[in-house]
Amino acid sequence: MSNDFSKGKVWRNIMSQAVPLMLAQMVLLLYNVVDRVYIGHLPGADSMALTGIGLAFPLTTLIAAFTYLFGTGGTPLFSIARGAGQEERAERILGNTCSLLLGCSVAIFLFCYLLRRPVLYLFGASDASYVYADAYLRIYLLGTPFAMLSTGLNGFINAQGYPKTGMMTTLIGAVLNLVLDPVFIFALDMGVGGAALATILSQTVSCVWVLRFLTGKKAGLHIRRQNLPVDWKLAREIAALGMSGFIMQGTNCLVQVVCNATLKIYGGDLYVGIMTVINSVREILSLPVNGLTSGSQPVLGYNYGAKRYDRICQGIRFTACMGILYTLLAWLVVIQCPHLLLSVFTEDAAMLEAGTGALKLYFFGFFFMAFQFTGQSAFTALGYSRQAIFFSLLRKAVIVAPLTMILPRLGMGVDGVFWAEPISNCIGGLACFITMYFVLYRKLKRENVQGTE
């Protein structure tokens, strides 16, 4: 079996997975962020084009949520099966995940496309911002199957020990998107619709790349026709483990809706646009720690299947320490350079002035996110689906969403919306990490000691 994660130094195994993943996610981020950069500098659109894109975010996040439901559910099960030497089961997991992603993508496309107008107004659109949101969304949604398959199945490439190939999935699509964006947006004068068209063409190419690898000779484990019919018992296992990622993204969707609707009341379209920019900055700054924890999951899952509990503990410690160090540095960057970070996305003077204070509030105590990421990834990698689901719900649905609605009504105005995030990072992040330590980490330490006696 290739790429045996039970051998060699744990931190090297994690970094060998994480670095290509970080690069891939960086490219994927460019994939998405470059649209907002170009759109934020559209001549004559002011901040309204960015506001429109922000209103479309909840639906694009909903697509990501269902991708995570099957992608992040299937990949850890696949890694555990590989570690246990159960290759036939691993291929059945891969085939079923592929079918679940495809079927779900068609259903989501139909739902979102047909109901996009009432949904966008429910999310806080005005007549002015709806024009931009609809122009982007009606094209973007056409690429739903390609986006879900390329993203949801790419983890299976990484889980087989081919992180560079997985990186190429996003690299190919992102480079194509970078080339096509200015052509469609400016040269062909398609505006936000051009950004969406460039994105779906790029997603299509990435999807072809993933499917070609997983059905080709280089992959150790393949998508096979006999494994495509859905085994509903196995599908429940996949969905149960992926429910954490689904809820995390689904509650992100909920929070985006609540934030946009609340900001529309207390700050108008300007602050909806500011939140779009802040979300973009958060994606950039979260990328390395997200790549680190994602890279640790195949290593942790493999060693769990191989019953190497000492190596799992080493992996958790390394991930936590590196994550905390990075997020402290990222917080310092926000404190020192808020105007620079905002100016990447917009030249609008009003947005820059109001957004500087909002950005600092939103990222206050950012290092607490490292605790959430570490605990969440450990629970997911080792199949502790209930705990992973609970802490996904706790931070977003139980803490952020209610605070987003309550704090502005207590006299804090728009500042209350931005304070909700750091409060949830502190409470939710620490609760997740401390629980992981007592429920999971100490148990693994005991089992390792018993296994060596």
Side-chain angles (χ1 to χ4, degrees):
M1 185 180 295
S2 63
N3 299 290
D4 187 343
F5 297 136
S6 65
K7 298 177 180 177
K9 292 186 179 297
V10 175
W11 70 268
R12 285 182 180 171
N13 285 335
I14 291 175
M15 293 306 294
S16 71
Q17 293 290 300
V19 171
L21 275 175
M22 289 178 197
L23 294 174
Q25 289 180 7
M26 186 180 297
V27 173
L28 181 61
L29 188 60
L30 287 174
Y31 205 129
N32 298 317
V33 167
V34 73
D35 287 350
R36 301 167 214 168
V37 173
Y38 283 128
I39 289 167
H41 293 85
L42 275 175
D46 298 322
S47 63
M48 198 57 66
L50 273 176
T51 300
I53 297 301
L55 292 166
F57 272 2
L59 286 180
T60 61
T61 304
L62 181 66
I63 293 170
F66 279 97
T67 304
Y68 273 58
L69 177 63
F70 303 120
T72 63
T75 305
L77 286 178
F78 179 86
S79 295
I80 292 171
R82 277 191 73 231
Q86 300 170 349
E87 294 192 2
E88 183 178 343
R89 172 176 164 80
E91 286 197 335
R92 282 195 292 114
I93 292 168
L94 173 57
N96 271 241
T97 302
C98 181
S99 296
L100 291 167
L101 285 166
L102 182 59
C104 187
S105 68
V106 174
I108 292 173
F109 162 71
L110 292 173
F111 174 81
C112 293
Y113 195 87
L114 295 175
L115 297 177
R116 68 185 187 279
R117 181 180 178 85
V119 167
L120 285 172
Y121 274 101
L122 179 66
F123 289 175
S126 63
D127 290 340
S129 60
Y130 173 79
V131 175
Y132 292 100
D134 183 63
Y136 183 83
L137 203 57
R138 70 171 181 262
I139 297 175
Y140 179 88
L141 288 172
L142 296 172
T144 302
F146 306 111
M148 289 186 66
L149 284 172
S150 61
T151 304
L153 294 178
N154 198 45
F156 291 92
I157 298 177
N158 298 322
Q160 293 189 59
Y162 296 98
K164 292 180 181 178
T165 304
M167 179 182 68
M168 287 299 296
T169 302
T170 47
L171 181 62
I172 292 169
V175 170
L176 184 59
N177 194 43
L178 287 167
V179 172
L180 294 179
D181 257 334
V183 174
F184 290 150
I185 294 173
F186 298 111
L188 299 180
D189 197 26
M190 294 179 66
V192 294
L197 181 58
T199 298
I200 67 170
L201 290 175
S202 305
Q203 289 169 342
T204 302
V205 173
S206 295
C207 180
V208 171
W209 171 268
V210 170
L211 292 175
R212 184 176 178 183
F213 180 86
L214 290 174
T215 56
K217 295 180 179 179
K218 187 175 180 181
L221 302 173
H222 303 84
I223 297 174
R224 302 185 189 276
R225 184 178 301 175
Q226 64 266 30
N227 292 322
L228 291 175
V230 177
D231 177 339
W232 293 108
K233 181 180 178 182
L234 184 58
R236 285 193 294 272
E237 289 184 55
I238 293 170
L241 191 52
M243 191 61 69
S244 168
F246 173 79
I247 290 174
M248 184 172 287
Q249 288 295 318
T251 49
N252 280 341
C253 176
L254 170 66
V255 168
Q256 287 168 1
V257 171
V258 172
C259 284
N260 286 345
T262 306
L263 289 171
K264 182 69 171 60
I265 295 170
Y266 289 91
D269 288 334
L270 173 65
Y271 276 91
V272 177
I274 288 171
M275 181 56 82
T276 303
V277 174
I278 288 177
N279 280 330
S280 302
V281 174
R282 184 197 65 204
E283 287 179 34
I284 293 171
L285 296 182
S286 298
L287 186 150
V289 70
N290 193 31
L292 176 68
T293 53
S294 296
S296 72
Q297 287 187 19
V299 178
L300 298 181
Y302 189 99
N303 281 285
Y304 192 65
K307 301 185 185 303
R308 293 297 306 275
Y309 303 127
D310 58 322
R311 295 176 63 82
I312 299 172
C313 293
Q314 292 176 42
I316 292 172
R317 290 196 301 270
F318 174 75
T319 304
C321 291
M322 291 296 292
I324 293 168
L325 177 61
Y326 167 75
T327 47
L328 281 169
L329 292 174
W331 185 22
L332 181 61
V333 169
V334 172
I335 293 171
Q336 295 296 321
C337 312
H339 191 277
L340 177 62
L341 293 170
L342 292 169
S343 64
V344 172
F345 298 94
T346 182
E347 298 172 351
D348 187 272
M351 185 175 284
L352 288 171
E353 182 179 355
T356 299
L359 186 70
K360 289 182 177 180
L361 290 179
Y362 188 88
F363 279 92
F364 186 81
F366 183 59
F367 69 94
F368 286 109
M369 278 298 294
F371 294 105
Q372 178 79 27
F373 276 123
T374 303
Q376 199 76 33
S377 65
F379 282 134
T380 301
L382 306 187
Y384 283 66
S385 57
R386 291 182 181 179
Q387 289 85 348
I389 290 169
F390 173 80
F391 287 107
S392 293
L393 280 170
L394 176 67
R395 196 174 75 84
K396 292 291 187 178
V398 178
I399 303 175
V400 177
L403 286 179
T404 300
M405 295 183 289
I406 293 169
L407 294 180
R409 289 169 170 79
L410 295 179
M412 298 180 69
V414 291
D415 285 351
V417 176
F418 301 110
W419 268 115
E421 182 72 12
I423 292 172
S424 76
N425 287 344
C426 177
I427 299 173
L430 288 177
C432 181
F433 187 84
I434 291 170
T435 304
M436 182 277 295
Y437 176 80
F438 285 103
V439 171
L440 181 58
Y441 184 87
R442 292 183 66 178
K443 177 183 177 182
L444 292 170
K445 293 281 284 185
R446 288 194 301 270
E447 291 183 355
N448 181 60
V449 170
Q450 292 171 2
T452 58
E453 289 178 351

